[in-house]
């Protein structure tokens, strides 16, 4: 236990440092490529790059996929509904931060 | 153990129809879903609702639960009656996978465990070799930590299946570097620090979500930081140079003459030092001295005479 305490762990900032290829995203999220295609099609995640071979996903995609999976599983929404909910939740979060700034 | 009133948790009467139960559950699930709700106890509530629905949606379990009688109250000390479970046949083990983590001891004492290999964070697939689960934790840091970087010692609790197949609570302590430039809501990914893999599967990743402690005078929006700076009326009117605090140290800032009361001044690049650094915004707030002495009153009267100022000109009166 104390040995573990000594070790200083360094990580990446998911939203800033991490960029993933299609294969890496599939591996990280334990998903088949077909599911990722569908998530891209419905706009849950948006890759840079023209074709799947050159796609690059920002780290935040991992978070959005997880959230979509939970919403689909727990609330029975479909992928389009999950994409909409996630966009709205992000907007609410931004507004909440702005509101917080104006509240003293 | 404590009794749980599942009807009260879902918010329906004991004679509610299955449809009423389903509707009430769905409404509560939307309200308390941890991805949607900001309530601090959302996750606990969501689990509780899931557990209640697990019982009430299933006519077999609901009938069995109803046999306990209507006189029990939530929180009351409970022990299953000695003849419990006789004459009932449940299908498919305890959970049919509503996405709840572990149900309460109360639930287990009535319906047993079984089929619990789903957890809330993940619908993990358990093959012979499977990657471990990703795990999540939140940590609070100060705004200054995001400017300078820091280290944190965190203690994580997680459940592991013990040798007897029952979940056990385990603790582990990690020393983690918090990188400079991190923002509220971002996640530090520590690869292979999550749940242990099955067979030859890799361990999952650990994600640490960052939240900032509220700061007494800075407000944060994304990577920009806001400071409300009180100024005297003459400072805003005549202009001056003011020494002000920033999370990266004291700076001198020039207040231009004739600054309006809510003027926003930008200190470029003095926000959170992300890869593209944010800005620090200084918002002026004119503070009026009290007119509580004769001298102060005389000064205000002189103001009035000298300036002929109508602050309500735009209201056209």
């Amino acid at each position: 236990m104390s040995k573990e305490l000594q070790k200083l762990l360094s990580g990446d900032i998911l939203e800033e440092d991490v960029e993933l290829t299609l294969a890496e995203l599939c591996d990280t999220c334990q998903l088949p490529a077909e599911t990722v295609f569908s998530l891209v099609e419905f706009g849950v995640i948006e890759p840079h790059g023209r074709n799947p071979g050159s796609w690059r996903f920002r780290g935040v995609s991992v978070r959005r996929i997880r959230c979509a999976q939970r919403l689909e599983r727990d609330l029975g929404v479909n992928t389009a509904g999950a994409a909409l909910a996630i966009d709205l939740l992000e907007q609410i979060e931004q507004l909440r931060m702005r509101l917080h700034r104006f509240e003293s | 153990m404590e009794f749980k009133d599942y009807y009260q948790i879902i918010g329906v009467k004991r004679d509610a129809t299955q449809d009423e139960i389903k509707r009430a559950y769905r409404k509560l699930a939307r309200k308390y879903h941890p991805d949607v709700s900001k309530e601090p106890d959302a996750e606990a509530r969501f689990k509780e609702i899931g557990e209640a629905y697990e019982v009430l949606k299933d006519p077999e379990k609901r009938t069995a639960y109803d046999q306990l009688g209507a006189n029990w109250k939530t929180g009351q000390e409970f022990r299953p009656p000695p003849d419990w479970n006789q004459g009932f046949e449940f299908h498919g083990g305890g959970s049919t996978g509503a996405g709840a983590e572990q149900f309460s001891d109360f639930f287990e004492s009535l319906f047993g465990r079984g089929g619990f290999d789903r957890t809330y964070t993940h619908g993990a697939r358990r093959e012979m070799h499977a990657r471990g689960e990703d795990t999540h934790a939140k940590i609070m840091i100060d705004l200054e930590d995001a400017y300078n970087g820091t280290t944190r010692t965190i203690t994580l609790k997680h459940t592991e299946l013990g040798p007897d197949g029952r979940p056990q609570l385990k603790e582990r302590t990690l020393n983690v570097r918090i990188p400079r430039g991190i923002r509220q809501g971002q996640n530090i990914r520590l690869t292979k620090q999550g749940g242990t893999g099955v067979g030859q599967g890799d361990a999952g990743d650990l994600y640490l979500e960052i939240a900032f402690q509220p700061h007494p005078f800075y407000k944060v929006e994304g990577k920009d930081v806001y400071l409300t700076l009180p100024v005297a009326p003459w400072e805003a009117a005549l202009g001056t140079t003011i020494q002000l605090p920033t999370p990266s140290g004291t700076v001198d800032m020039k207040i231009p003459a004739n600054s309006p009361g809510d003027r926003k001044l930008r200190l470029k690049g003095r926000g959170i030092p992300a890869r593209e650094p944010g800005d620090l915004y200084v918002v002026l707030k004119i503070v009026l001295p009290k007119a509580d002495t004769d001298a102060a009153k005389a000064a205000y009267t002189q103001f009035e005479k000298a300036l002929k100022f109508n602050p309500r000109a735009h209201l056209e009166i």
Side-chain angles (χ1 to χ4, degrees):
Chain A
M1 200 69 171
S2 60
K3 201 174 153 195
E4 204 177 13
L5 241 172
Q6 303 301 321
K7 211 170 83 187
L8 181 62
L9 296 169
S10 291
D12 321 298
I13 304 177
L14 178 68
E15 293 80 358
E16 193 102 343
D17 308 326
V18 179
E19 211 183 57
L20 302 148
T21 63
L22 176 61
E24 287 165 341
L25 186 69
C26 290
D27 184 50
T28 303
C29 295
Q30 301 272 288
L31 287 175
E34 294 72 38
T35 310
V36 174
F37 291 147
S38 161
L39 291 164
V40 169
E41 191 186 327
F42 283 102
V44 173
I45 50 174
E46 284 178 47
H48 300 290
R50 299 194 120 191
N51 52 60
S54 61
W55 275 356
R56 292 292 179 279
F57 295 89
R58 296 194 309 131
V60 71
S61 309
V62 176
R63 216 169 76 187
R64 289 179 64 105
I65 289 175
R66 296 270 154 74
C67 186
Q69 288 179 314
R70 288 189 296 261
L71 293 172
E72 288 178 27
R73 185 191 68 203
D74 298 335
L75 302 181
V77 298
N78 59 19
T79 309
L84 174 67
I86 293 170
D87 284 350
L88 293 176
L89 287 169
E90 283 183 0
Q91 283 179 33
I92 291 173
E93 192 50 43
Q94 280 168 10
L95 293 173
R96 207 189 297 270
M97 280 215 258
R98 181 154 303 169
L99 183 66
H100 173 72
R101 173 157 73 78
F102 287 108
E103 285 170 348
S104 44
Chain B
M1 83 195 69
E2 293 184 347
F3 181 81
K4 284 183 181 289
D5 184 341
Y6 289 141
Y7 290 100
Q8 189 198 37
I9 288 167
I10 297 273
V12 293
K13 294 208 175 92
R14 291 184 72 87
D15 60 358
T17 65
Q18 292 303 120
D19 274 348
E20 283 171 332
I21 289 169
K22 191 193 282 174
R23 285 199 297 271
Y25 164 74
R26 285 191 176 150
K27 195 170 174 183
L28 289 172
R30 283 199 303 276
K31 185 172 174 191
Y32 288 105
H33 194 278
D35 285 300
V36 176
S37 173
K38 281 285 159 187
E39 314 247 347
D41 61 344
E43 191 157 346
R45 283 297 304 269
F46 187 73
K47 277 184 196 166
E48 193 179 52
I49 296 158
E51 176 178 319
Y53 187 55
E54 190 63 40
V55 174
L56 299 187
K57 76 171 178 192
D58 174 353
E60 283 178 357
K61 289 201 191 76
R62 186 180 173 189
T63 311
Y65 178 77
D66 286 346
Q67 299 291 316
L68 295 171
N71 295 325
W72 291 94
K73 300 264 183 300
T74 287
Q76 221 177 331
E77 182 59 29
F78 174 83
R79 217 165 275 284
D83 58 348
W84 171 258
N85 229 345
Q86 284 177 24
F88 288 115
E89 193 182 345
F90 299 117
H91 291 93
S95 168
T96 48
E101 194 156 31
Q102 285 142 20
F103 290 152
S104 65
D105 288 348
F106 173 72
F107 180 97
E108 286 186 11
S109 77
L110 296 180
F111 305 107
R113 302 185 313 114
F116 282 132
D117 57 6
R118 297 182 59 142
T119 65
Y120 171 66
T121 35
H122 254 227
R125 296 176 297 165
R126 308 232 163 173
E127 289 113 7
M128 286 309 284
H129 301 292
R131 190 173 172 273
E133 276 177 339
D134 289 343
T135 49
H136 298 258
K138 275 195 180 178
I139 40 176
M140 297 283 276
I141 63 169
D142 292 323
L143 175 61
E144 287 82 356
D145 295 334
Y147 275 75
N148 305 317
T150 185
T151 60
R152 270 281 189 287
T153 303
I154 51 171
T155 303
L156 299 171
K157 291 190 180 75
H158 64 287
T159 40
E160 242 174 47
L161 282 185
D164 57 353
R166 283 192 70 91
Q168 295 178 322
L169 197 61
K170 295 225 167 163
E171 267 191 15
R172 75 194 164 121
T173 303
L174 297 176
N175 220 6
V176 181
R177 195 175 71 84
I178 311 292
R180 180 175 186 265
I182 198 155
R183 279 132 65 184
Q184 167 115 354
Q186 290 188 324
N187 288 270
I188 300 173
R189 183 181 68 169
L190 297 165
T191 43
K192 299 190 181 170
Q193 292 293 330
T196 5
V198 176
Q200 276 148 35
D202 279 338
D205 298 337
L206 168 63
Y207 291 89
L208 297 175
E209 189 184 335
I210 296 293
F212 288 160
Q213 308 267 17
H215 195 279
F217 41 87
Y218 300 117
K219 296 272 167 84
V220 185
E221 194 180 319
K223 54 190 178 184
D224 296 331
V225 178
Y226 289 79
L227 171 69
T228 300
L229 185 71
V231 290
W234 49 89
E235 289 176 325
L238 306 175
T240 184
T241 299
I242 294 181
Q243 210 180 46
L244 60 95
T246 77
S248 48
T250 311
V251 297
D252 287 330
M253 197 180 65
K254 197 168 170 275
I255 312 288
N258 288 312
S259 286
D262 51 358
R263 184 162 202 165
K264 204 158 88 171
L265 299 159
R266 185 171 74 141
L267 290 172
K268 197 168 183 294
R270 284 195 171 259
I272 293 179
R275 186 170 293 161
E276 286 170 35
D279 300 326
L280 177 70
Y281 289 95
V282 176
V283 185
L284 301 187
K285 182 182 166 191
I286 295 178
V287 182
L288 293 179
K290 277 189 179 148
D292 54 359
T293 64
D294 287 344
K297 282 176 195 163
Y300 274 116
T301 311
Q302 255 188 322
F303 239 164
E304 185 190 358
K305 283 182 188 151
L307 295 179
K308 306 264 183 294
F309 176 56
N310 178 10
R312 290 170 294 277
H314 69 290
L315 299 178
E316 296 172 0
I317 46 165

